[in-house]
Every structure is written in structure tokens, then in C-alpha cells.
Amino acid sequence: GRPESGVEITDRVDDQDSRAFGITLVCFDPRLYSQAEVSTVLAPAFPTGTLTNLGNSPAPLVAIITMGGAGGATFTLTKGATTFVLNLSACTNGQVVTVVFENSSPYGKRTILRGTTETFALKVSPVTPTWMDASVGANTYTITNTTNVTSCVLLTHSAWS
């Protein structure tokens, strides 16, 4: 990895011979990805869809949620026993919420955006294990509590390790 920024001195030692310090490293994503992006579109009329990862390693997932007005306080995306809950009640007509579920080469860092503003406060589900991926093979996703959700597009690139 390479340093993300400079060295951070974390403690001062009186003998001046040593110092505690910290360095944040940025490491490359070791997976290889298909160039083709795979997607499925979910909406209140068809709330369940399948996304297939043809690789041999879990792949990053992105959800792009388009709003038709103020949403529900418990919009839920489910994959198997894992649920991811967002409070979309402050959204407005035409607003887009983008969730990048993990740090990866194709999509960048884990984040939640409302428009272009990063806002992790929309996530109301517990810290773990609610961040999702696209497991190897077919993955079935379902959305519930879809008040004023126009669509929820799920995206991934198949991944190989």
C-alpha cells in the first residue's frame, strides 16, 4: 500500500529518541473485474430481482435509488437474511440516493450520497453485518417500504480473485 497522507504523530515521548505515529495506507483492490456491468431494476411494482456474479469472488454492489417525493423512514433492501435500511423521509421529488456498499476498484469508497452530498445518517440499520455484496452466482434482492421510490437500480461487476 501507499500512504494516504503524511505521518501523524500520535504521542510525544520525553526522551526524544522515539515517537508513536500512525500512517493510513491505501491498498489496491486485489480482485479482477468484468468490464461489463450487470444490473437489475427494482420498483414498487416489481420489488424483487436477481443479479448474477459470474466470477469466483464476492463483487461490490451499488444501489441507485430514485425518489418521487419524501420516502419512508425504513426503506429496506434485503438479500437473504441481510437487510439494509435507509431513512428516505427527507428526500424530495427527483432526488437520487446512491449507496456504494464497499471499497472497490470499479466504484471507489464505501459511501451513501443524497444527490452529491455524502450522508451516512440515512443508514438506520445496525453497523454490521448490513453492508452487502454480490455473492458468487445468482443473488436475489428485494425492496420493501417503498413509499415514493420510483426505482432502485442495483449494479455490480463480476469479480475474480
Side-chain angles (χ1 to χ4, degrees):
R2 64 173 172 76
E4 181 179 60
S5 59
V7 174
E8 179 184 337
I9 304 299
T10 59
D11 193 17
R12 189 174 195 153
V13 178
D14 290 333
D15 67 9
Q16 300 297 320
D17 290 333
S18 61
R19 286 192 170 195
F21 66 93
I23 299 175
T24 301
L25 296 177
V26 177
C27 298
F28 73 96
D29 184 349
R31 296 171 288 194
L32 299 174
Y33 295 98
S34 168
Q35 289 184 348
E37 191 169 57
V38 180
S39 66
T40 189
V41 179
L42 309 177
F46 39 95
T48 299
T50 301
L51 207 64
T52 301
N53 173 5
L54 299 174
N56 67 0
S57 179
L61 182 68
V62 173
I64 301 171
I65 305 159
T66 303
M67 301 302 298
T74 58
F75 169 83
T76 304
L77 174 65
T78 303
K79 177 186 129 184
T82 304
T83 60
F84 186 83
V85 183
L86 294 171
N87 181 350
L88 302 178
S89 61
C91 291
T92 58
N93 184 32
Q95 200 160 43
V96 175
V97 174
T98 304
V99 180
V100 178
F101 285 89
E102 68 170 293
N103 298 324
S104 66
S105 295
Y107 299 118
K109 69 177 188 168
R110 175 182 282 175
T111 190
I112 299 173
L113 300 171
R114 183 170 53 211
T116 58
T117 304
E118 189 169 66
T119 176
F120 280 95
L122 294 180
K123 183 178 181 287
V124 294
S125 51
V127 175
T128 56
T130 59
W131 294 96
M132 295 181 182
D133 60 16
S135 302
V136 174
N139 297 267
T140 300
Y141 298 90
T142 302
I143 56 173
T144 54
N145 303 322
T146 57
T147 303
N148 284 325
V149 170
T150 303
S151 66
C152 176
V153 178
L154 301 177
L155 307 168
T156 193
H157 288 265
S158 293
W160 288 265
S161 56

